[in-house]
C-alpha cells in the first residue's frame, strides 16, 4: 500500500462510490470498539441527506469495501451518517450549507466573529454581524462552528400572528 495511510486509502476508494450516489464524502474514521472496529463514513450534500440516501450509500460503500478487502478479515461495523451540528466549517461547501445559521468564525489573526451567514461562495462568506454584512475571505478564516439555537430564524418568520 506504500506510504498512504489506511484512512487515505479508504478516502480514495470511497470518494467515487459516495459521489456516484450524488453525495460528498466528508470524513472517514476507524476506531476500535472492543474486539470490533467501527468504520464511520460521514456524507453530505446541499439540501441535506435523507435516510433513504444514507441507506443507499451504505449499501454501495459496503459492497465497495467487500470487493476491495480494505478492512481485512476482522469484524467491523459500518456506520454511515450525515455531519452533526458540531462539525467545523472548513470548506466553502460547509459554509454554503450553513446559510442562515448563526456561526462563530475564527480568523487567522486571532479575532472571532459571530453572526448569521448571509451567503457563501468559493472565495468567502458574508456574515451579518449586528445588522451589518461583513465579507470574510476563506484565506482569512481558520474555521467556523454553527452555534446551537433553540429558535432558528426560519422558525420565527412564520410565527407572527
Amino acid at each position: 500500500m506504500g506510504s498512504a495511510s489506511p484512512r487515505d486509502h479508504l478516502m480514495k476508494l470511497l470518494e467515487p462510490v459516495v459521489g456516484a450516489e450524488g453525495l460528498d464524502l466528508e470524513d472517514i474514521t476507524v476506531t476500535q470498539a472492543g474486539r470490533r472496529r467501527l468504520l464511520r463514513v460521514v456524507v453530505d450534500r446541499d439540501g441535506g441527506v435523507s435516510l433513504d440516501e444514507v441507506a443507499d450509500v451504505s449499501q454501495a460503500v459496503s459492497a465497495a469495501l467487500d470487493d476491495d478487502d480494505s478492512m481485512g478479515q476482522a469484524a467491523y461495523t459500518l456506520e454511515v451518517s450525515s455531519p452533526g451540528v458540531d462539525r467545523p466549517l472548513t470548506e466553502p461547501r460547509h459554509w454554503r450549507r450553513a446559510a442562515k445559521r448563526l456561526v462563530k468564525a475564527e480568523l487567522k489573526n486571532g479575532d472571532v466573529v459571530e453572526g448569521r451567514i448571509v451567503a457563501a461562495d468559493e472565495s468567502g462568506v458574508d456574515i451579518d454581524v449586528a445588522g451589518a454584512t461583513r465579507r470574510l475571505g476563506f484565506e482569512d478564516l481558520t474555521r467556523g462552528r454553527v452555534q446551537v439555537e433553540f429558535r432558528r430564524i426560519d422558525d420565527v418568520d412564520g410565527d407572527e400572528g
Side-chain angles (χ1 to χ4, degrees):
M1 207 184 309
S3 63
S5 73
R7 181 186 179 280
D8 290 342
H9 177 74
L10 287 169
M11 289 290 287
K12 267 190 192 150
L13 172 70
L14 298 180
E15 220 157 14
V17 173
V18 172
E21 297 292 325
L23 303 172
D24 295 317
L25 178 60
E26 293 293 341
D27 195 20
I28 292 176
T29 58
V30 180
T31 55
Q32 198 68 36
R35 289 185 162 170
R36 300 180 77 105
R37 290 170 296 157
L38 174 61
L39 171 61
R40 283 194 175 102
V41 177
V42 180
V43 298
D44 201 7
R45 73 176 178 125
D46 290 358
V49 182
S50 73
L51 289 176
D52 288 339
E53 290 166 326
V54 168
D56 291 344
V57 79
S58 181
Q59 289 178 344
V61 164
S62 181
L65 291 169
D66 289 348
D67 291 346
D68 184 74
D69 199 32
S70 293
M71 294 299 290
Q73 299 302 311
Y76 69 93
T77 300
L78 172 63
E79 179 182 289
V80 177
S81 65
S82 60
V85 71
D86 60 342
R87 174 209 36 207
L89 307 175
T90 57
E91 300 287 332
R93 69 179 178 265
H94 300 160
W95 292 91
R96 185 181 66 246
R97 291 172 182 161
K100 297 184 181 180
R101 302 294 302 267
L102 184 64
V103 297
K104 188 177 284 189
E106 299 173 15
L107 283 75
K108 289 182 179 172
N109 69 6
D111 289 348
V112 175
V113 175
E114 190 167 344
R116 193 166 302 280
I117 296 178
V118 176
D121 57 31
E122 291 306 310
S123 63
V125 60
D126 297 324
I127 298 179
D128 180 321
V129 181
T133 301
R134 181 169 174 190
R135 176 74 176 178
L136 302 172
F138 290 126
E139 71 277 1
D140 299 323
L141 290 165
T142 57
R143 67 178 182 176
R145 289 222 181 255
V146 171
Q147 301 299 290
V148 175
E149 296 181 90
F150 292 104
R151 277 187 79 144
R152 284 187 43 194
I153 194 169
D154 298 346
D155 297 338
V156 176
D157 289 344
D159 288 352
E160 312 300 315

